[in-house]
Amino acid sequence: PITITGLVGSEPAQLILNTMAGTTVMKKSAQLEQGTLAIDISKLPNGLYLANIVSDSQTTKLKIIKN
């Protein structure tokens, strides 16, 4: 799993992970734990992904490189 840090709070969030082509490969509800979120991308192929993390207090967009 990878851990995303720098988020705000400890609240429910929605994670949407897309390929660069726009295909959604993961969509799940998660709980932020003191500003961090752990996700397991081990079953995804290597490549570049766009993560959108949406909670009541923030929306965060990140690029994730898996190699």
Short mmCIF file of all heavy atoms in Angstrom, two decimals:
data_model
loop_
_atom_site.label_atom_id
_atom_site.label_comp_id
_atom_site.label_asym_id
_atom_site.label_seq_id
_atom_site.Cartn_x
_atom_site.Cartn_y
_atom_site.Cartn_z
N PRO A 1 0.83 -1.20 0.00
CA PRO A 1 0.00 0.00 0.00
C PRO A 1 0.87 1.26 0.00
O PRO A 1 2.01 1.24 0.45
CB PRO A 1 -0.82 -0.08 1.26
CG PRO A 1 -0.45 -1.33 1.95
CD PRO A 1 0.60 -2.01 1.17
N ILE A 2 0.30 2.35 -0.49
CA ILE A 2 0.98 3.63 -0.40
C ILE A 2 0.21 4.50 0.58
O ILE A 2 -0.99 4.30 0.80
CB ILE A 2 1.08 4.33 -1.77
CG1 ILE A 2 -0.30 4.65 -2.33
CG2 ILE A 2 1.88 3.51 -2.75
CD1 ILE A 2 -0.25 5.57 -3.53
N THR A 3 0.89 5.44 1.18
CA THR A 3 0.28 6.34 2.13
C THR A 3 0.36 7.76 1.59
O THR A 3 1.44 8.23 1.24
CB THR A 3 0.97 6.27 3.50
OG1 THR A 3 0.90 4.91 3.96
CG2 THR A 3 0.31 7.18 4.51
N ILE A 4 -0.78 8.41 1.50
CA ILE A 4 -0.85 9.80 1.07
C ILE A 4 -0.93 10.66 2.32
O ILE A 4 -1.82 10.45 3.16
CB ILE A 4 -2.08 10.02 0.17
CG1 ILE A 4 -1.98 9.12 -1.07
CG2 ILE A 4 -2.21 11.48 -0.22
CD1 ILE A 4 -3.24 9.06 -1.90
N THR A 5 -0.02 11.59 2.46
CA THR A 5 0.02 12.46 3.63
C THR A 5 -0.26 13.90 3.22
O THR A 5 -0.32 14.22 2.05
CB THR A 5 1.39 12.38 4.33
OG1 THR A 5 2.40 12.81 3.41
CG2 THR A 5 1.69 10.97 4.80
N GLY A 6 -0.40 14.77 4.21
CA GLY A 6 -0.62 16.19 3.96
C GLY A 6 -2.08 16.56 3.79
O GLY A 6 -2.40 17.68 3.42
N LEU A 7 -2.97 15.61 4.04
CA LEU A 7 -4.40 15.89 3.98
C LEU A 7 -4.83 16.51 5.29
O LEU A 7 -4.10 16.46 6.28
CB LEU A 7 -5.18 14.60 3.69
CG LEU A 7 -4.76 13.87 2.41
CD1 LEU A 7 -5.41 12.50 2.34
CD2 LEU A 7 -5.11 14.68 1.18
N VAL A 8 -6.03 17.06 5.34
CA VAL A 8 -6.50 17.75 6.54
C VAL A 8 -7.54 16.90 7.25
O VAL A 8 -8.48 16.42 6.62
CB VAL A 8 -7.11 19.12 6.16
CG1 VAL A 8 -7.68 19.81 7.39
CG2 VAL A 8 -6.08 20.00 5.48
N GLY A 9 -7.34 16.71 8.55
CA GLY A 9 -8.38 16.13 9.37
C GLY A 9 -8.44 14.62 9.42
O GLY A 9 -7.60 13.91 8.89
N SER A 10 -9.47 14.16 10.11
CA SER A 10 -9.79 12.74 10.25
C SER A 10 -11.28 12.60 9.98
O SER A 10 -12.09 12.64 10.90
CB SER A 10 -9.45 12.25 11.66
OG SER A 10 -8.08 12.34 11.91
N GLU A 11 -11.62 12.47 8.72
CA GLU A 11 -13.02 12.45 8.33
C GLU A 11 -13.22 11.48 7.16
O GLU A 11 -12.25 11.07 6.53
CB GLU A 11 -13.47 13.86 7.94
CG GLU A 11 -12.67 14.45 6.81
CD GLU A 11 -12.96 15.94 6.60
OE1 GLU A 11 -13.41 16.62 7.52
OE2 GLU A 11 -12.72 16.39 5.49
N PRO A 12 -14.46 11.14 6.86
CA PRO A 12 -14.71 10.28 5.71
C PRO A 12 -14.33 10.99 4.41
O PRO A 12 -14.46 12.21 4.30
CB PRO A 12 -16.23 10.04 5.76
CG PRO A 12 -16.64 10.40 7.14
CD PRO A 12 -15.67 11.43 7.61
N ALA A 13 -13.85 10.21 3.45
CA ALA A 13 -13.44 10.77 2.16
C ALA A 13 -13.77 9.77 1.06
O ALA A 13 -13.90 8.58 1.31
CB ALA A 13 -11.95 11.10 2.16
N GLN A 14 -13.87 10.27 -0.15
CA GLN A 14 -14.09 9.44 -1.33
C GLN A 14 -12.81 9.51 -2.16
O GLN A 14 -12.32 10.59 -2.48
CB GLN A 14 -15.27 9.98 -2.14
CG GLN A 14 -15.58 9.20 -3.39
CD GLN A 14 -16.29 7.90 -3.10
OE1 GLN A 14 -16.93 7.73 -2.08
NE2 GLN A 14 -16.17 6.96 -3.99
N LEU A 15 -12.27 8.35 -2.53
CA LEU A 15 -11.07 8.26 -3.36
C LEU A 15 -11.48 7.76 -4.74
O LEU A 15 -12.18 6.75 -4.86
CB LEU A 15 -10.05 7.28 -2.76
CG LEU A 15 -8.93 6.87 -3.70
CD1 LEU A 15 -7.94 8.01 -3.90
CD2 LEU A 15 -8.22 5.65 -3.20
N ILE A 16 -11.07 8.48 -5.78
CA ILE A 16 -11.28 8.05 -7.15
C ILE A 16 -9.92 8.05 -7.82
O ILE A 16 -9.23 9.07 -7.84
CB ILE A 16 -12.26 8.98 -7.90
CG1 ILE A 16 -13.59 9.05 -7.15
CG2 ILE A 16 -12.44 8.51 -9.34
CD1 ILE A 16 -14.51 10.13 -7.64
N LEU A 17 -9.52 6.89 -8.35
CA LEU A 17 -8.22 6.74 -9.00
C LEU A 17 -8.46 6.43 -10.47
O LEU A 17 -9.14 5.47 -10.81
CB LEU A 17 -7.43 5.61 -8.33
CG LEU A 17 -5.97 5.47 -8.70
CD1 LEU A 17 -5.16 6.70 -8.28
CD2 LEU A 17 -5.38 4.23 -8.05
N ASN A 18 -7.91 7.29 -11.33
CA ASN A 18 -8.10 7.16 -12.78
C ASN A 18 -6.76 6.97 -13.48
O ASN A 18 -5.72 7.46 -13.00
CB ASN A 18 -8.74 8.43 -13.36
CG ASN A 18 -10.14 8.66 -12.85
OD1 ASN A 18 -10.93 7.73 -12.77
ND2 ASN A 18 -10.45 9.88 -12.52
N THR A 19 -6.80 6.30 -14.63
CA THR A 19 -5.63 6.25 -15.50
C THR A 19 -5.52 7.60 -16.19
O THR A 19 -6.44 8.43 -16.14
CB THR A 19 -5.77 5.15 -16.57
OG1 THR A 19 -6.86 5.50 -17.42
CG2 THR A 19 -5.99 3.78 -15.95
N MET A 20 -4.42 7.84 -16.88
CA MET A 20 -4.25 9.08 -17.62
C MET A 20 -5.25 9.17 -18.77
O MET A 20 -5.57 10.26 -19.22
CB MET A 20 -2.82 9.20 -18.14
CG MET A 20 -1.79 9.39 -17.03
SD MET A 20 -2.11 10.84 -16.00
CE MET A 20 -1.78 12.15 -17.14
N ALA A 21 -5.77 8.05 -19.22
CA ALA A 21 -6.78 8.04 -20.29
C ALA A 21 -8.18 8.36 -19.74
O ALA A 21 -9.12 8.49 -20.51
CB ALA A 21 -6.78 6.69 -20.99
N GLY A 22 -8.31 8.46 -18.42
CA GLY A 22 -9.59 8.80 -17.81
C GLY A 22 -10.41 7.63 -17.33
O GLY A 22 -11.52 7.82 -16.84
N THR A 23 -9.89 6.42 -17.45
CA THR A 23 -10.61 5.23 -16.98
C THR A 23 -10.50 5.13 -15.46
O THR A 23 -9.40 5.17 -14.91
CB THR A 23 -10.02 3.96 -17.62
OG1 THR A 23 -10.07 4.10 -19.04
CG2 THR A 23 -10.79 2.73 -17.19
N THR A 24 -11.63 4.97 -14.79
CA THR A 24 -11.62 4.81 -13.33
C THR A 24 -11.21 3.38 -12.99
O THR A 24 -11.84 2.43 -13.44
CB THR A 24 -13.00 5.12 -12.74
OG1 THR A 24 -13.34 6.48 -13.05
CG2 THR A 24 -13.01 4.94 -11.22
N VAL A 25 -10.13 3.23 -12.21
CA VAL A 25 -9.64 1.91 -11.83
C VAL A 25 -9.89 1.60 -10.36
O VAL A 25 -9.77 0.46 -9.93
CB VAL A 25 -8.14 1.74 -12.17
CG1 VAL A 25 -7.92 1.75 -13.67
CG2 VAL A 25 -7.29 2.81 -11.50
N MET A 26 -10.23 2.63 -9.57
CA MET A 26 -10.54 2.42 -8.16
C MET A 26 -11.45 3.54 -7.69
O MET A 26 -11.24 4.70 -8.01
CB MET A 26 -9.26 2.41 -7.32
CG MET A 26 -9.48 2.15 -5.85
SD MET A 26 -7.96 2.24 -4.85
CE MET A 26 -7.02 0.89 -5.53
N LYS A 27 -12.48 3.16 -6.95
CA LYS A 27 -13.38 4.13 -6.35
C LYS A 27 -13.80 3.55 -5.01
O LYS A 27 -14.38 2.47 -4.97
CB LYS A 27 -14.59 4.38 -7.25
CG LYS A 27 -15.50 5.47 -6.78
CD LYS A 27 -16.57 5.75 -7.82
CE LYS A 27 -17.41 6.95 -7.40
NZ LYS A 27 -18.43 7.25 -8.40
N LYS A 28 -13.48 4.25 -3.94
CA LYS A 28 -13.83 3.71 -2.63
C LYS A 28 -13.99 4.81 -1.60
O LYS A 28 -13.43 5.89 -1.74
CB LYS A 28 -12.78 2.70 -2.16
CG LYS A 28 -11.45 3.28 -1.78
CD LYS A 28 -10.53 2.20 -1.23
CE LYS A 28 -9.55 2.78 -0.25
NZ LYS A 28 -8.85 1.80 0.52
N SER A 29 -14.76 4.50 -0.60
CA SER A 29 -14.88 5.38 0.55
C SER A 29 -13.80 4.99 1.54
O SER A 29 -13.47 3.82 1.68
CB SER A 29 -16.25 5.22 1.20
OG SER A 29 -17.26 5.62 0.31
N ALA A 30 -13.24 5.99 2.19
CA ALA A 30 -12.16 5.73 3.13
C ALA A 30 -12.25 6.73 4.28
O ALA A 30 -12.95 7.74 4.18
CB ALA A 30 -10.80 5.85 2.44
N GLN A 31 -11.55 6.45 5.33
CA GLN A 31 -11.50 7.33 6.49
C GLN A 31 -10.10 7.94 6.56
O GLN A 31 -9.11 7.21 6.62
CB GLN A 31 -11.80 6.54 7.76
CG GLN A 31 -11.76 7.36 9.03
CD GLN A 31 -12.94 8.32 9.15
OE1 GLN A 31 -14.04 8.04 8.67
NE2 GLN A 31 -12.71 9.45 9.77
N LEU A 32 -10.02 9.27 6.52
CA LEU A 32 -8.74 9.92 6.73
C LEU A 32 -8.33 9.71 8.18
O LEU A 32 -9.15 9.83 9.09
CB LEU A 32 -8.83 11.42 6.44
CG LEU A 32 -9.20 11.83 5.02
CD1 LEU A 32 -9.25 13.36 4.92
CD2 LEU A 32 -8.23 11.27 4.03
N GLU A 33 -7.09 9.38 8.40
CA GLU A 33 -6.56 9.15 9.75
C GLU A 33 -5.46 10.17 10.00
O GLU A 33 -4.36 10.04 9.49
CB GLU A 33 -5.99 7.73 9.88
CG GLU A 33 -7.02 6.63 9.70
CD GLU A 33 -8.01 6.54 10.84
OE1 GLU A 33 -7.70 7.02 11.95
OE2 GLU A 33 -9.11 6.00 10.61
N GLN A 34 -5.78 11.21 10.74
CA GLN A 34 -4.84 12.28 11.07
C GLN A 34 -4.14 12.82 9.82
O GLN A 34 -2.93 12.99 9.79
CB GLN A 34 -3.83 11.81 12.11
CG GLN A 34 -4.47 11.43 13.42
CD GLN A 34 -3.47 10.95 14.45
OE1 GLN A 34 -2.28 10.86 14.18
NE2 GLN A 34 -3.94 10.64 15.63
N GLY A 35 -4.92 13.08 8.79
CA GLY A 35 -4.40 13.67 7.57
C GLY A 35 -3.69 12.72 6.63
O GLY A 35 -3.00 13.14 5.72
N THR A 36 -3.86 11.42 6.83
CA THR A 36 -3.24 10.44 5.93
C THR A 36 -4.30 9.47 5.40
O THR A 36 -5.34 9.27 6.01
CB THR A 36 -2.13 9.63 6.64
OG1 THR A 36 -2.70 8.85 7.69
CG2 THR A 36 -1.05 10.52 7.20
N LEU A 37 -3.97 8.89 4.25
CA LEU A 37 -4.85 7.91 3.62
C LEU A 37 -3.98 6.84 3.00
O LEU A 37 -3.06 7.14 2.25
CB LEU A 37 -5.70 8.59 2.54
CG LEU A 37 -6.63 7.70 1.73
CD1 LEU A 37 -7.71 7.09 2.62
CD2 LEU A 37 -7.27 8.51 0.62
N ALA A 38 -4.24 5.58 3.34
CA ALA A 38 -3.48 4.45 2.77
C ALA A 38 -4.33 3.76 1.73
O ALA A 38 -5.52 3.50 1.95
CB ALA A 38 -3.09 3.47 3.87
N ILE A 39 -3.73 3.49 0.55
CA ILE A 39 -4.44 2.77 -0.50
C ILE A 39 -3.52 1.67 -1.05
O ILE A 39 -2.31 1.83 -1.09
CB ILE A 39 -4.93 3.69 -1.63
CG1 ILE A 39 -3.77 4.46 -2.28
CG2 ILE A 39 -5.97 4.65 -1.14
CD1 ILE A 39 -4.18 5.23 -3.51
N ASP A 40 -4.14 0.59 -1.45
CA ASP A 40 -3.40 -0.55 -1.99
C ASP A 40 -3.52 -0.53 -3.51
O ASP A 40 -4.60 -0.76 -4.05
CB ASP A 40 -3.94 -1.85 -1.43
CG ASP A 40 -3.16 -3.06 -1.88
OD1 ASP A 40 -2.13 -2.90 -2.57
OD2 ASP A 40 -3.56 -4.18 -1.54
N ILE A 41 -2.40 -0.25 -4.18
CA ILE A 41 -2.39 -0.24 -5.65
C ILE A 41 -1.56 -1.39 -6.20
O ILE A 41 -1.20 -1.39 -7.37
CB ILE A 41 -1.90 1.12 -6.20
CG1 ILE A 41 -0.47 1.41 -5.74
CG2 ILE A 41 -2.84 2.24 -5.80
CD1 ILE A 41 0.16 2.60 -6.46
N SER A 42 -1.28 -2.37 -5.37
CA SER A 42 -0.39 -3.47 -5.76
C SER A 42 -0.94 -4.28 -6.95
O SER A 42 -0.16 -4.84 -7.71
CB SER A 42 -0.13 -4.40 -4.57
OG SER A 42 -1.34 -5.01 -4.14
N LYS A 43 -2.25 -4.33 -7.11
CA LYS A 43 -2.82 -5.12 -8.20
C LYS A 43 -2.97 -4.33 -9.50
O LYS A 43 -3.35 -4.89 -10.53
CB LYS A 43 -4.17 -5.69 -7.77
CG LYS A 43 -4.01 -6.68 -6.65
CD LYS A 43 -5.32 -7.29 -6.24
CE LYS A 43 -5.04 -8.28 -5.12
NZ LYS A 43 -6.23 -8.73 -4.44
N LEU A 44 -2.65 -3.05 -9.46
CA LEU A 44 -2.74 -2.23 -10.66
C LEU A 44 -1.45 -2.33 -11.47
O LEU A 44 -0.36 -2.47 -10.90
CB LEU A 44 -2.98 -0.77 -10.29
CG LEU A 44 -4.30 -0.45 -9.59
CD1 LEU A 44 -4.36 1.02 -9.21
CD2 LEU A 44 -5.48 -0.81 -10.46
N PRO A 45 -1.54 -2.24 -12.80
CA PRO A 45 -0.32 -2.27 -13.61
C PRO A 45 0.50 -1.00 -13.42
O PRO A 45 -0.02 0.03 -12.98
CB PRO A 45 -0.85 -2.37 -15.04
CG PRO A 45 -2.27 -1.95 -15.01
CD PRO A 45 -2.76 -2.18 -13.61
N ASN A 46 1.78 -1.08 -13.74
CA ASN A 46 2.64 0.09 -13.66
C ASN A 46 2.10 1.18 -14.56
O ASN A 46 1.55 0.91 -15.63
CB ASN A 46 4.07 -0.27 -14.07
CG ASN A 46 4.75 -1.16 -13.06
OD1 ASN A 46 4.28 -1.34 -11.95
ND2 ASN A 46 5.87 -1.73 -13.45
N GLY A 47 2.26 2.42 -14.13
CA GLY A 47 1.80 3.54 -14.94
C GLY A 47 1.57 4.78 -14.10
O GLY A 47 1.89 4.83 -12.91
N LEU A 48 1.01 5.79 -14.75
CA LEU A 48 0.71 7.06 -14.11
C LEU A 48 -0.78 7.14 -13.86
O LEU A 48 -1.59 6.88 -14.75
CB LEU A 48 1.17 8.21 -15.03
CG LEU A 48 1.01 9.63 -14.53
CD1 LEU A 48 1.82 9.86 -13.25
CD2 LEU A 48 1.47 10.61 -15.61
N TYR A 49 -1.16 7.52 -12.64
CA TYR A 49 -2.55 7.58 -12.23
C TYR A 49 -2.85 8.95 -11.64
O TYR A 49 -1.97 9.61 -11.11
CB TYR A 49 -2.86 6.50 -11.18
CG TYR A 49 -2.68 5.11 -11.70
CD1 TYR A 49 -1.47 4.45 -11.59
CD2 TYR A 49 -3.73 4.45 -12.34
CE1 TYR A 49 -1.29 3.17 -12.09
CE2 TYR A 49 -3.57 3.17 -12.83
CZ TYR A 49 -2.35 2.54 -12.71
OH TYR A 49 -2.19 1.27 -13.21
N LEU A 50 -4.11 9.36 -11.73
CA LEU A 50 -4.58 10.59 -11.11
C LEU A 50 -5.52 10.22 -9.98
O LEU A 50 -6.50 9.50 -10.19
CB LEU A 50 -5.32 11.46 -12.13
CG LEU A 50 -4.48 11.95 -13.30
CD1 LEU A 50 -5.37 12.70 -14.30
CD2 LEU A 50 -3.36 12.85 -12.83
N ALA A 51 -5.22 10.71 -8.78
CA ALA A 51 -6.05 10.44 -7.61
C ALA A 51 -6.82 11.70 -7.24
O ALA A 51 -6.24 12.79 -7.15
CB ALA A 51 -5.19 10.00 -6.44
N ASN A 52 -8.11 11.56 -7.03
CA ASN A 52 -8.96 12.63 -6.52
C ASN A 52 -9.47 12.17 -5.16
O ASN A 52 -10.10 11.10 -5.06
CB ASN A 52 -10.14 12.90 -7.46
CG ASN A 52 -9.70 13.52 -8.75
OD1 ASN A 52 -8.96 14.49 -8.75
ND2 ASN A 52 -10.14 12.95 -9.86
N ILE A 53 -9.20 12.95 -4.14
CA ILE A 53 -9.65 12.65 -2.79
C ILE A 53 -10.58 13.78 -2.37
O ILE A 53 -10.16 14.94 -2.30
CB ILE A 53 -8.46 12.52 -1.83
CG1 ILE A 53 -7.49 11.45 -2.35
CG2 ILE A 53 -8.94 12.19 -0.42
CD1 ILE A 53 -6.12 11.51 -1.73
N VAL A 54 -11.83 13.44 -2.09
CA VAL A 54 -12.84 14.44 -1.78
C VAL A 54 -13.41 14.16 -0.39
O VAL A 54 -13.87 13.05 -0.12
CB VAL A 54 -13.98 14.44 -2.83
CG1 VAL A 54 -15.02 15.50 -2.50
CG2 VAL A 54 -13.42 14.64 -4.23
N SER A 55 -13.38 15.17 0.47
CA SER A 55 -14.01 15.08 1.79
C SER A 55 -14.83 16.35 1.98
O SER A 55 -14.87 17.21 1.11
CB SER A 55 -12.96 14.92 2.89
OG SER A 55 -12.20 16.11 3.00
N ASP A 56 -15.47 16.47 3.14
CA ASP A 56 -16.29 17.65 3.40
C ASP A 56 -15.46 18.93 3.41
O ASP A 56 -15.94 19.99 3.02
CB ASP A 56 -17.01 17.52 4.74
CG ASP A 56 -18.15 16.51 4.68
OD1 ASP A 56 -18.62 16.21 3.57
OD2 ASP A 56 -18.56 16.02 5.74
N SER A 57 -14.20 18.84 3.83
CA SER A 57 -13.41 20.06 4.00
C SER A 57 -12.37 20.30 2.91
O SER A 57 -11.73 21.34 2.90
CB SER A 57 -12.70 20.03 5.36
OG SER A 57 -11.78 18.96 5.40
N GLN A 58 -12.20 19.36 1.97
CA GLN A 58 -11.15 19.55 0.98
C GLN A 58 -11.35 18.65 -0.23
O GLN A 58 -12.02 17.63 -0.17
CB GLN A 58 -9.78 19.26 1.58
CG GLN A 58 -9.61 17.79 1.95
CD GLN A 58 -8.31 17.53 2.72
OE1 GLN A 58 -7.34 18.21 2.52
NE2 GLN A 58 -8.36 16.57 3.61
N THR A 59 -10.74 19.07 -1.34
CA THR A 59 -10.60 18.24 -2.53
C THR A 59 -9.14 18.29 -2.90
O THR A 59 -8.56 19.36 -3.06
CB THR A 59 -11.46 18.78 -3.69
OG1 THR A 59 -12.84 18.73 -3.30
CG2 THR A 59 -11.26 17.95 -4.94
N THR A 60 -8.52 17.12 -3.02
CA THR A 60 -7.09 17.02 -3.33
C THR A 60 -6.91 16.20 -4.58
O THR A 60 -7.53 15.14 -4.73
CB THR A 60 -6.33 16.36 -2.15
OG1 THR A 60 -6.59 17.13 -0.96
CG2 THR A 60 -4.85 16.32 -2.42
N LYS A 61 -6.06 16.68 -5.49
CA LYS A 61 -5.73 15.95 -6.72
C LYS A 61 -4.24 15.68 -6.73
O LYS A 61 -3.44 16.58 -6.48
CB LYS A 61 -6.14 16.75 -7.96
CG LYS A 61 -7.63 16.98 -8.03
CD LYS A 61 -8.02 17.73 -9.27
CE LYS A 61 -9.54 17.94 -9.25
NZ LYS A 61 -10.08 18.15 -10.55
N LEU A 62 -3.89 14.42 -6.98
CA LEU A 62 -2.48 14.01 -6.97
C LEU A 62 -2.19 13.13 -8.16
O LEU A 62 -3.05 12.40 -8.64
CB LEU A 62 -2.19 13.17 -5.71
CG LEU A 62 -2.46 13.79 -4.36
CD1 LEU A 62 -2.44 12.72 -3.30
CD2 LEU A 62 -1.41 14.82 -4.07
N LYS A 63 -0.93 13.16 -8.60
CA LYS A 63 -0.44 12.19 -9.59
C LYS A 63 0.30 11.11 -8.83
O LYS A 63 1.09 11.39 -7.94
CB LYS A 63 0.50 12.85 -10.59
CG LYS A 63 -0.19 13.77 -11.54
CD LYS A 63 0.80 14.35 -12.53
CE LYS A 63 0.12 15.34 -13.43
NZ LYS A 63 1.09 16.03 -14.32
N ILE A 64 0.05 9.87 -9.19
CA ILE A 64 0.73 8.73 -8.58
C ILE A 64 1.43 7.95 -9.68
O ILE A 64 0.81 7.60 -10.67
CB ILE A 64 -0.28 7.82 -7.84
CG1 ILE A 64 -0.94 8.57 -6.69
CG2 ILE A 64 0.42 6.55 -7.32
CD1 ILE A 64 -2.06 7.81 -6.02
N ILE A 65 2.72 7.71 -9.49
CA ILE A 65 3.50 6.92 -10.44
C ILE A 65 3.77 5.57 -9.80
O ILE A 65 4.34 5.49 -8.71
CB ILE A 65 4.83 7.60 -10.78
CG1 ILE A 65 4.57 8.97 -11.41
CG2 ILE A 65 5.65 6.72 -11.72
CD1 ILE A 65 5.81 9.82 -11.57
N LYS A 66 3.34 4.50 -10.48
CA LYS A 66 3.62 3.15 -10.00
C LYS A 66 4.58 2.50 -10.98
O LYS A 66 4.32 2.43 -12.17
CB LYS A 66 2.34 2.32 -9.90
CG LYS A 66 2.65 0.92 -9.36
CD LYS A 66 1.44 0.06 -9.27
CE LYS A 66 1.90 -1.26 -8.68
NZ LYS A 66 1.35 -2.38 -9.34
N ASN A 67 5.72 2.04 -10.46
CA ASN A 67 6.67 1.35 -11.33
C ASN A 67 7.31 0.18 -10.64
O ASN A 67 7.15 -0.05 -9.52
CB ASN A 67 7.74 2.31 -11.87
CG ASN A 67 8.50 3.03 -10.79
OD1 ASN A 67 8.48 2.65 -9.63
ND2 ASN A 67 9.16 4.09 -11.17
#
